[in-house]
Amino acid sequence: MYVQQFFVEGLGCASYLVGCEGAGVAAVVDPDREVDKYLTAAQARGLKITHIIETHLHADHVSGNADLQARTGADIYLHEQAGATFAHKPLKGGDTLTLGNVRLDVLHTPGHTPESITLLVTDQTRGGEPWLAFTGDTLFVGDIGRPDLVGAAAARGLAAQMHDSVFSKLLPLDDGLLIYPGHGAGSLCGKSIGAMRSTTLGFERRHNPALAPRVLDEFIEFAVSDLPEQPGNHTRIKALNRRGPRPLGEVTPRPLPIQAAVPYFQRGAALLDLRPQAEYVRAHIPGSAHLEADDQLSNRVGFVLPPEVPLVLLLADPADYARVVYSLARVGYDHVVGYLAESLETWQAYGLPVTSGDVKDIEAPELKNLLETDNGARPVVVDVREPWEYRQGHVPGAVLMPLGELGGRLGELNPETPVAVICATGNRSQSAAALFGQQGFKTIYNVRGGTLGWMRRGFPLEK
């Protein structure tokens, strides 16, 4: 048996290649849209990909199943309760898939979603019991899957199903069972996923807070409480995965001279500036959205731009083009028309506008000084954390606008009044500040270090 894990930083997505080298066949579990890595790995081990298996319909990223099927001809498998409308082979609990000497037993483990499954993997040359489990978004390292991404109304019912899945179906298995989850640290599909990318059932039994003995009602309260913000566009992403994403196809660089790019802007395309923040602040094209081309791009873009709009990219290095396109495609941003191939100096030479400023990074002491002024420079502090975080303590007078709600609430604020955007550590606030900048707010501060930095300085908190 051969198993290989693939991990996407930022989104925290894990996918897997599992196969039998003797028979030369393999399956890919929960593929993302950058499918070349699976093909390369399979070819290196002499494996033909014959099965594509989804543990559930994902809400945080678009599946690569359509691309992988187009490249391999493999069948796609998904639990029958998913309601998927694309061509696939339905699974149910108790089904078995065979890859040479490798047996995959399907365990229906609803809780994160109604259709969630766990795959128990047995190498029949070694023994008759499962060696490892692909647990999808049911069991993580140090956590379990959140139950609210199907919808808030279904969360408590799914939490009850999760209790049964964990305590009646998974925990009776052997402590030595290796656990390979669908997500690791960075994912929004749990609330405190550990940094390790695999574990054992016995270790989780002893050390996973979610697996502590609880009666059903207590477990439900634990599962639905203190959840992080929901992934951007999660409802749209799940719907896209249900009907089947279109194949992304081969990603090749598309340089756009300025004269070729301007007509796209005239027809409504957006410019996504992916340069480092210092370069953006120094000079940028008015109306552009700014997000750095880092590991958090997939998580942040859904809060700043609508997914249907065509995108022109402004890159610090054109060599980043494919990496950025995949980061956007993973969350359903498929309409990248190319990247701006000429400099801002050339842009200006055509008589096109360039501006500077928009977002200024400040530390907690600078924010405190601004809040003590009374000369028109005093900003409105906008806290973009989740309500449960805000309740634990916030900058006095801060207005709560969770990042997932911010796009629909900007009309509550005056664009002429300075705003200081704060979160826990400064990550979410950067995305929020970009949204304020795109909407024409005059003075925007991003509080580096966030509320944690404010606390460490000994400044007062309001609860």
Side-chain angles (χ1 to χ4, degrees), residues 54-102:
E54 300 285 5
T55 59
H56 63 292
L57 290 174
H58 308 284
D60 66 320
H61 68 280
V62 177
S63 173
N65 56 30
D67 282 281
L68 196 55
Q69 184 179 57
R71 301 280 290 274
T72 64
D75 290 320
I76 301 172
Y77 295 81
L78 185 65
H79 192 270
E80 59 187 2
Q81 288 191 22
T85 58
F86 62 90
H88 68 283
K89 293 194 171 183
L91 295 171
K92 61 182 182 299
D95 283 352
T96 296
L97 301 174
T98 302
L99 304 167
N101 290 315
V102 177

Side-chain angles (χ1 to χ4, degrees), residues 108-153:
H108 185 208
T109 51
H112 177 64
T113 67
E115 76 281 357
S116 289
I117 62 170
T118 292
L119 295 170
L120 301 179
V121 184
T122 301
D123 182 347
Q124 297 179 104
T125 67
R126 299 291 308 277
E129 70 272 7
W131 189 352
L132 59 94
F134 298 122
T135 55
D137 285 18
T138 300
L139 178 61
F140 297 133
V141 175
D143 204 356
I144 54 173
R146 62 192 292 175
D148 64 319
L149 296 185
V150 172

Side-chain angles (χ1 to χ4, degrees), residues 66 137 150 154 163 173 220 233 235 256 267 282 337 340-341 350 359 367 374 381 393 430 432:
D137 285 18
V150 172
H163 182 272
L173 299 171
I220 291 172
N233 290 309
T235 301
L256 290 175
R267 294 194 296 268
R282 186 162 48 247
V337 297
L340 209 57
Y350 278 106
V359 179
L367 174 61
D374 194 22
V381 181
Q430 183 181 355

Side-chain angles (χ1 to χ4, degrees), residues 18-304:
V18 56
C20 173
E21 292 175 288
V25 293
V28 176
V29 180
D30 291 334
D32 74 80
R33 299 190 86 178
E34 191 177 357
V35 301
D36 281 341
K37 59 193 175 191
Y38 310 117
L39 299 170
T40 299
Q43 184 178 35
R45 307 296 298 199
L47 298 170
K48 175 179 173 57
I49 296 171
T50 56
H51 295 62
I52 302 164
I53 308 170
E54 300 285 5
T55 59
H56 63 292
L57 290 174
H58 308 284
D60 66 320
H61 68 280
V62 177
S63 173
N65 56 30
D67 282 281
L68 196 55
Q69 184 179 57
R71 301 280 290 274
T72 64
D75 290 320
I76 301 172
Y77 295 81
L78 185 65
H79 192 270
E80 59 187 2
Q81 288 191 22
T85 58
F86 62 90
H88 68 283
K89 293 194 171 183
L91 295 171
K92 61 182 182 299
D95 283 352
T96 296
L97 301 174
T98 302
L99 304 167
N101 290 315
V102 177
R103 188 179 77 236
L104 308 177
D105 291 309
V106 178
L107 197 62
H108 185 208
T109 51
H112 177 64
T113 67
E115 76 281 357
S116 289
I117 62 170
T118 292
L119 295 170
L120 301 179
V121 184
T122 301
D123 182 347
Q124 297 179 104
T125 67
R126 299 291 308 277
E129 70 272 7
W131 189 352
L132 59 94
F134 298 122
T135 55
D137 285 18
T138 300
L139 178 61
F140 297 133
V141 175
D143 204 356
I144 54 173
R146 62 192 292 175
D148 64 319
L149 296 185
V150 172
R156 298 185 73 85
L158 282 170
Q161 292 184 10
M162 178 68 83
H163 182 272
D164 181 66
S165 293
V166 168
F167 290 97
S168 299
K169 297 179 181 179
L170 291 180
L171 286 183
L173 299 171
D174 189 83
D175 275 357
L177 186 72
L178 296 174
I179 302 298
Y180 288 96
H183 286 289
S187 169
L188 296 176
C189 290
K191 53 185 172 182
S192 57
I193 304 176
M196 292 292 290
R197 296 179 184 174
S198 64
T199 185
T200 66
L201 186 60
F203 194 89
E204 295 308 304
R205 187 195 309 278
R206 293 190 294 274
H207 301 293
N208 187 329
L211 305 188
R214 292 182 178 90
V215 298
L216 179 59
D217 288 346
E218 291 174 345
F219 181 88
I220 291 172
E221 287 304 319
F222 173 87
V224 301
S225 300
D226 298 340
L227 295 169
E229 77 271 17
Q230 297 191 337
N233 290 309
H234 71 282
T235 301
R236 175 182 178 271
I237 289 172
K238 184 175 280 288
L240 200 162
N241 283 326
R242 179 170 284 111
R243 67 175 180 265
R246 70 172 183 84
L248 185 64
E250 186 177 359
V251 174
T252 56
R254 299 177 188 171
L256 290 175
I258 290 171
Q259 288 183 320
V262 168
Y264 283 108
F265 298 136
Q266 292 172 335
R267 294 194 296 268
L271 177 64
L272 178 57
D273 192 326
L274 296 141
R275 298 172 301 151
Q277 186 173 359
E279 293 184 33
Y280 175 82
V281 171
R282 186 162 48 247
H284 61 269
I285 295 170
S288 58
H290 177 251
L291 293 172
E292 294 191 37
D294 58 16
D295 292 338
Q296 292 300 316
L297 177 59
S298 297
N299 283 328
R300 291 174 176 162
V301 67
F303 298 118
V304 177

Side-chain angles (χ1 to χ4, degrees), residues 274 293 313 315-325:
L274 296 141
L313 310 179
L315 300 166
D317 183 351
D320 290 335
Y321 180 80
R323 177 175 64 84
V324 168
V325 168

